Amino acid sequence: MSAVDTVRRVLDTHGKLKTPAGALTEDDDLYAAGMTSHASVNVMLAVEDAFDIEFPDELLTKTTFCSIRSISSAVEGLLEAAA
Amino acid sequence: MRMPTTITATKDARPLAERVAHVADIAARYAGEVDAAARFPAEAVDAMRTTGLLGASLPTALGGEGLTLAQLGSIAAKLGAACSSTGMVFAMHHSQVLSLSRHLGGSASLAILAGRIASEQLLLASATTELGIGGDVRSSSCFVDLEGDKVRLIKNAPVISYGSEADLVLVTARRNADSAPSDQVLVVCDAANLTLEATGGWDTLGLRGTASMGYKLNALVAADRVIPEAYEAISAETMLPVCHVLWASVWLGMSRALVETSRQYVRSAARRSIGSVPPGATKLVGLIAELERFEALVEGLTARTESLFDDRDAMGGIGYQVSINNLKVTASELVAQVATAALAITGISGYRNDGQYSVARIFRDAQGAALMVHNDRIIANTARLILVQKG
Ligand SMILES: Cc1cc2nc3c(=O)[nH]c(=O)nc-3n(C[C@H](O)[C@H](O)[C@H](O)COP(=O)(O)OP(=O)(O)OC[C@H]3O[C@@H](n4cnc5c(N)ncnc54)[C@H](O)[C@@H]3O)c2cc1C
């Protein structure tokens, strides 16, 4: 499973989105799709758990969690740094 | 005894922050081993040497980097977060360096000696505590005895941190055989002119890497190694303030490390129970608030000391002395409280000696803070001071 698929799965469980994550493009605004800031914390924790990573403080911003692409690329960056 | 230093200061051109990060990495790597074996953190101190950190507090005129107290405190905190013992060695060393370099009293030979701290990266230790006198640092029983153009000094010192590793030991003693216990001088003794007969080991609860063994110290040094200025002034204007600021900085660094481990623990608990705030999170809020108070305390007293540092009257003034004594007492209590709170948050994971959420080593180290010059003694001294303080 690619990072994008896993992120979509996490968003379905924790994102409180109005539509299934599969119906969103990678660049659609997740906040516009219904994700609250409270839900974004749960998404962050679930993504950390799924990839066994920890977001450093500088990545814990609204922009990191604004789209499927932004989350996936942050994850890939952290996985690369850890490799 | 350590062999005479062979490392000639290879100038490390990297910026200070990089050199400090390098030493901190090494300190962190060996922290567990240093603690388990109760051995001197040789790797980290060697790294201080090769990066020039042992001379960094000296003014540039003496070959140092002229670091401010705030810079030294920031380094002490970073090293303390990585390995408490390494941080304490750094703090104790620089409090001795400044006690010498700020009180040369125009002596050319002491100035040359101070310059060697930078050019040869010498490590300095301190022998103030004396058997029978305990932690009353402003009182000595041993004395300086003239032998021709040299002076003999014999001191029964129950605790000298890294005494066997030091190149120079600064020793307090009475000025001569007839002097009162408080009429003290500070004598700079080369490892080469001194024998240290071990009288006690260092198998302790914490700060095990400081290797603070007991020795009978016997030194025969040139008479000009006795710093001319009274120890009373050196103590009030440099030794005590710098010790308290740098020790508090190390304890602050240890506290930051404890808070970081607690934070990671709480976040991992949150990942396992997504949607609910784990119970540790509430405690973590309180812990972070406590850390913020600690940061403000250390920053405030560091800045105040820095601003008064060259004003002899203000440094010796009662108002400042009360504050700098209180810094030591409060900071030592705070690091112990932070350690207790971190243990409560991390629970059995923190209690373990192994694993990524262990807080055990720093918890043990934190207990030493109140004892190194016992808080009861400091409070008793402060109580005497405030009786004569005016408004
Ligand atoms: C990690 C570490 C490193 C150290 N490194 C060094 C070093 O490099 N060089 C060095 O010289 N020393 C060093 N020391 C020693 C330290 O500075 C103290 O001087 C020493 O620990 C005091 O020993 P003590 O507690 O036995 O004695 P005391 O200070 O005599 O205290 C013993 C007891 O008496 C009580 N007490 C004594 N006097 C009073 C008073 N006036 N008012 C109230 N209560 C009082 C105290 O409450 C305490 O319970 C180090 C200590 C530690 C923990």
Side-chain angles (χ1 to χ4, degrees):
Chain A
M1 216 190 320
S2 75
V4 170
D5 293 331
T6 307
V7 169
R8 282 208 160 91
R9 186 173 49 76
V10 166
L11 284 167
D12 281 333
T13 318
H14 299 288
K16 300 251 164 64
L17 301 177
K18 284 176 288 193
T19 48
L24 298 173
T25 72
E26 289 186 25
D27 294 309
D28 279 342
D29 185 329
L30 295 174
Y31 298 101
M35 186 173 71
T36 60
S37 68
H38 180 76
S40 74
V41 172
N42 293 338
V43 168
M44 182 270 289
L45 290 167
V47 168
E48 286 189 340
D49 194 36
F51 293 97
D52 194 22
I53 52 173
E54 186 158 321
F55 289 103
D57 279 351
E58 58 271 21
L59 283 180
L60 294 179
T61 62
K62 215 170 168 181
T63 46
T64 302
F65 293 91
C66 72
S67 68
I68 293 169
R69 189 185 303 283
S70 64
I71 299 175
S72 308
S73 58
V75 167
E76 277 155 11
L78 289 172
L79 289 175
E80 255 167 57
Chain B
M1 192 178 300
R2 220 175 72 78
M3 298 309 286
T5 307
T6 47
I7 300 165
T8 38
T10 40
K11 282 269 180 222
D12 189 329
R14 286 179 294 173
L16 183 63
E18 274 178 41
R19 288 180 281 140
V20 172
H22 170 70
V23 179
D25 275 351
I26 293 177
R29 196 178 314 151
Y30 290 97
E33 188 184 318
V34 159
D35 173 61
R39 70 157 177 86
F40 180 68
E43 298 85 357
V45 175
D46 278 347
M48 289 180 206
R49 279 205 173 86
T50 53
T51 54
L53 285 191
L54 291 184
S57 64
L58 286 172
T60 47
L62 290 172
E65 299 180 48
L67 295 192
T68 64
L69 212 45
Q71 287 175 307
L72 292 169
S74 150
I75 299 172
K78 290 199 173 92
L79 298 181
C83 166
S84 318
S85 291
T86 300
M88 286 312 300
V89 172
F90 179 86
M92 293 189 272
H93 164 78
H94 283 293
S95 58
Q96 301 310 307
V97 173
L98 289 167
S99 295
L100 171 62
S101 68
R102 278 167 49 84
H103 300 273
L104 297 172
S107 157
S109 85
L110 289 179
I112 291 167
L113 182 63
R116 283 179 47 208
I117 298 171
S119 63
E120 298 174 28
Q121 290 292 303
L122 304 182
L123 180 66
L124 275 61
S126 156
T128 51
T129 310
E130 185 170 6
L131 204 72
I133 291 193
D136 183 3
V137 292
R138 285 292 294 106
S139 200
S140 290
S141 124
C142 68
F143 57 89
V144 173
D145 205 9
L146 213 55
E147 271 187 33
D149 59 350
K150 296 199 165 143
V151 297
R152 169 80 61 187
L153 175 53
I154 297 172
K155 181 164 188 166
N156 210 329
V159 196
I160 306 181
S161 293
Y162 54 91
S164 316
E165 309 289 335
D167 301 295
L168 298 175
V169 183
L170 273 59
V171 190
T172 49
R174 284 186 294 140
R175 188 175 292 281
N176 60 51
D178 302 322
S179 308
S182 63
D183 183 10
Q184 295 164 294
V185 288
L186 191 59
V187 186
V188 189
C189 304
D190 283 60
N193 301 328
L194 136 97
T195 58
L196 290 174
E197 182 195 324
T199 55
W202 184 254
D203 184 3
T204 51
L205 179 68
L207 295 175
R208 294 164 60 82
T210 61
S212 307
M213 258 97 72
Y215 301 97
K216 188 161 177 199
L217 176 151
N218 187 334
L220 183 67
V221 300
D224 61 8
R225 290 301 174 84
V226 180
I227 301 181
E229 203 170 333
Y231 181 64
E232 184 175 17
I234 301 173
S235 169
E237 292 163 27
T238 305
M239 183 94 76
L240 208 134
V242 176
C243 279
H244 290 187
V245 165
L246 296 187
W247 294 355
S249 302
V250 174
W251 303 333
L252 178 61
M254 291 160 58
S255 301
R256 286 182 189 147
L258 289 164
V259 171
E260 177 56 21
T261 303
S262 304
R263 198 192 58 77
Q264 284 173 2
Y265 177 83
V266 168
R267 240 166 96 169
S268 89
R271 285 196 287 272
R272 280 181 270 113
S273 64
I274 293 170
S276 68
V277 176
T282 321
K283 286 192 178 136
L284 184 59
V285 175
L287 183 57
I288 290 171
E290 189 154 47
L291 181 67
E292 283 166 351
R293 285 195 292 275
F294 198 170
E295 302 268 4
L297 172 74
V298 174
E299 195 180 316
L301 260 296
T302 304
R304 184 157 158 214
T305 303
E306 199 96 66
S307 73
L308 302 178
F309 217 19
D310 295 321
D311 180 343
R312 305 193 71 156
D313 291 338
M315 288 297 285
I318 290 175
Y320 174 74
Q321 294 285 323
V322 168
S323 302
I324 202 69
N325 277 354
N326 283 342
L327 169 66
K328 192 276 174 180
V329 172
T330 308
S332 67
E333 289 170 353
L334 280 171
V335 69
Q337 283 164 25
V338 168
T340 303
L343 189 57
I345 290 172
T346 55
I348 201 74
S349 303
Y351 190 68
R352 301 180 67 91
N353 278 319
D354 53 7
Q356 63 173 319
Y357 303 118
S358 171
V359 296
R361 190 186 75 237
I362 307 186
F363 182 93
R364 289 186 285 99
D365 293 336
Q367 310 306 316
L371 309 181
M372 46 187 311
V373 183
H374 205 294
N375 280 357
D376 289 351
R377 259 195 205 279
I378 296 181
I379 292 168
N381 287 341
T382 313
R384 270 191 295 277
L385 286 174
I386 58 170
L387 290 182
V388 288
Q389 185 175 25
K390 296 180 190 63

